[in-house]
Amino acid sequence: MIAASSFSALVRAAGCYVYITSAMARRVVQLTVPCICFFLLAAAGAGHKYEAMFSFGDSLSDTGNICVNKSATAQLLLTVAQPPYGMSYFGHPTCRCSDGRLVVDFLAQELGLPLLPPSKLTGGTDFRKGSNMAILGGTALDFSFLKSIGLGYPIWNNGAMNVQIQWFRDLLPSICGLPQGHGCREYLAKSLFLFGPFGGNDYNAMLFFGFTVDQARNYTPMMVDNIASGVEQLIELGAVDIVVPGALPVGCFAVYLTMIPSANPADYDEYGCLKPLNSLSLYQNSLLRSRLAGLQARYGSSARIMYADYYTHVDQMVHDPARFGFGSPAMTACCGAGGGKYNYEFEARCGMKGATACANPSSHESWDGVHLTEAVNRMIADGWLRGPYCHPPILQ
């Protein structure tokens, strides 16, 4: 039998810093240090063992809906279905916007769940362990509203937030039709929900088609209201544990630096990022955190709403790439046709003719100038699971 004090010493020696109770220690017999680490990692998530996982959002989470739902998009978006997308993990394109796995993939694998199938798949797909409603181009605002303010470009009609929630409602009979006869609320209460991020494509639709940053900012409260409404809709359906990611520091991404540069040097920070765009993201995140705090207070113990801080983690990677193991400039895309300062050209993007990938994507933060590499996604997922970039952490 290992005493609690001796057990704690072994844990520290192994580099595992996970809180355990003396009762847990008393049940561990003749464990080697590696086994202790394994035991603790498993125990860390024991309080939040999920039966399934359901995801909503945009291209940062889309695991294939954009390709299954081809009728909803122009062909120009399907560059993600071409090599070298998927090169680092799957070995072939999977319609994920990365060289490999996304944050949602790492979350599922860490929680012992299968990779989430796109919700638009047909032919008897089993969604009982989870499904992904996220789709490239997904927006926080409904397409009808975007069209009403002059943004009718078809790229944005791929599945707004409310459309994705309807897709989820449509799946509920197949999700909850279990032999044991459990009801949907009970099943969803044992599931993890990843809701977002939303908002990036709303800004894209505005900024790439003539709106100023200040004009786009006027719609941020409406976007946050919609996101909060979506969280409430899920809670009313029975969701309990919901992760809601905020906006990224988009002013540091090659696509924005290339397509909407500023002639004013004062608009750039010391790292070369566009300050007005990052301020827009920070504004959205501030409003979102406030709204989520209000929802948490309203629902109390019947819901666990977790704010996932994309911004801080990615911002730190941009400021100090070497600290996170990256050897290439933060804004330079791994995959592209060699265009411009950041290896990004809209007409010669990753997946298009002439574009190639760098030899080692894991040394890069940016995959295609718009999306992150698998290496970054892995770190982000870990920061959400165990902290400090999710409040509270998923595995708390």
Side-chain angles (χ1 to χ4, degrees):
M1 186 74 68
I2 301 176
S5 59
S6 299
F7 186 77
S8 297
L10 282 172
V11 170
R12 290 193 298 271
C16 296
Y17 296 93
V18 183
Y19 176 77
I20 59 169
T21 66
S22 58
M24 289 168 61
R26 287 194 297 270
R27 295 180 63 183
V28 180
V29 182
Q30 296 180 340
L31 288 175
T32 63
V33 169
C35 288
I36 292 171
C37 279
F38 177 81
F39 170 81
L40 286 173
L41 289 174
H48 293 285
K49 178 174 171 55
Y50 298 107
E51 297 291 335
M53 181 176 172
F54 301 98
S55 178
F56 305 74
D58 57 20
S59 58
L60 293 175
S61 300
D62 186 357
T63 56
N65 275 319
I66 192 60
C67 290
V68 176
N69 200 38
K70 289 180 183 178
S71 61
T73 182
Q75 191 67 28
L76 65 88
L77 289 180
L78 296 183
T79 53
V80 299
Q82 305 299 322
Y85 282 92
M87 61 178 283
S88 295
Y89 182 77
F90 300 96
H92 58 85
T94 63
C95 283
R96 287 168 170 81
C97 294
S98 183
D99 59 306
R101 288 162 289 184
L102 307 176
V103 173
V104 64
D105 295 316
F106 284 109
L107 293 179
Q109 289 180 326
E110 287 275 347
L111 295 170
L113 296 169
L115 299 183
L116 303 188
S119 65
K120 304 309 290 180
L121 280 178
T122 57
T125 304
D126 188 349
F127 296 117
R128 287 175 296 177
K129 286 294 183 180
S131 179
N132 195 348
M133 277 55 65
I135 189 166
L136 191 155
T139 55
L141 300 173
D142 292 335
F143 178 66
S144 59
F145 176 80
L146 293 173
K147 188 175 180 179
S148 76
I149 59 173
L151 301 172
Y153 193 66
I155 186 175
W156 314 120
N157 193 19
N158 296 323
M161 184 204 77
N162 282 320
V163 172
Q164 293 183 31
I165 292 176
Q166 186 58 52
W167 290 347
F168 178 64
R169 291 178 186 272
D170 293 343
L171 285 181
L172 285 179
S174 61
I175 291 170
C176 305
L178 301 175
Q180 294 87 344
H182 294 311
C184 267
R185 294 191 64 84
E186 181 180 352
Y187 194 77
L188 298 183
K190 298 176 182 177
S191 302
L192 179 67
F193 287 79
L194 176 61
F195 195 68
F198 285 107
N201 288 308
D202 302 75
Y203 293 134
N204 291 346
M206 297 173 193
L207 298 173
F208 292 158
F209 296 96
F211 283 42
T212 65
V213 172
D214 286 340
Q215 288 173 322
R217 183 185 177 97
N218 290 332
Y219 295 97
T220 303
M222 183 183 298
M223 290 159 52
V224 171
D225 285 346
N226 255 27
I227 295 168
S229 169
V231 172
E232 288 195 274
Q233 289 181 63
L234 294 182
I235 292 173
E236 289 166 5
L237 287 172
V240 173
D241 286 14
I242 308 173
V243 178
V244 186
L248 292 100
V250 295
C252 301
F253 282 55
V255 58
Y256 304 100
L257 291 165
T258 301
M259 295 186 67
I260 48 175
S262 174
N264 183 0
D267 282 341
Y268 294 86
D269 65 18
E270 60 184 301
Y271 302 99
C273 302
L274 282 164
K275 292 189 289 186
L277 290 178
N278 282 350
S279 294
L280 183 61
S281 293
L282 288 171
Y283 176 55
Q284 177 180 334
N285 290 345
S286 176
L287 293 183
L288 181 61
R289 293 197 70 168
S290 178
R291 287 300 306 274
L292 295 180
L295 289 179
Q296 185 64 75
R298 175 181 173 184
Y299 288 99
S301 60
S302 63
R304 183 170 179 260
I305 304 170
M306 296 158 272
Y307 171 74
D309 188 356
Y310 253 131
Y311 190 103
T312 299
H313 203 174
V314 174
D315 191 53
Q316 290 173 351
M317 293 181 190
V318 170
H319 292 179
D320 191 0
R323 172 188 165 194
F324 295 91
F326 299 111
S328 300
M331 295 111 161
T332 302
C334 167
C335 182
K341 183 177 179 181
Y342 310 106
N343 190 27
Y344 179 84
E345 288 184 56
F346 182 77
E347 299 297 337
R349 304 189 307 281
C350 185
M352 286 184 165
K353 185 177 181 180
T356 59
C358 59
N360 183 18
S362 65
S363 68
H364 280 64
E365 296 177 26
S366 174
W367 164 243
D368 57 8
V370 186
H371 307 97
L372 304 167
T373 59
E374 179 182 89
V376 172
N377 290 330
R378 182 193 300 272
M379 293 180 190
I380 290 171
D382 188 69
W384 293 2
L385 286 163
R386 301 173 179 87
Y389 302 103
C390 191
H391 312 283
I394 296 171
L395 294 182
Q396 178 173 302

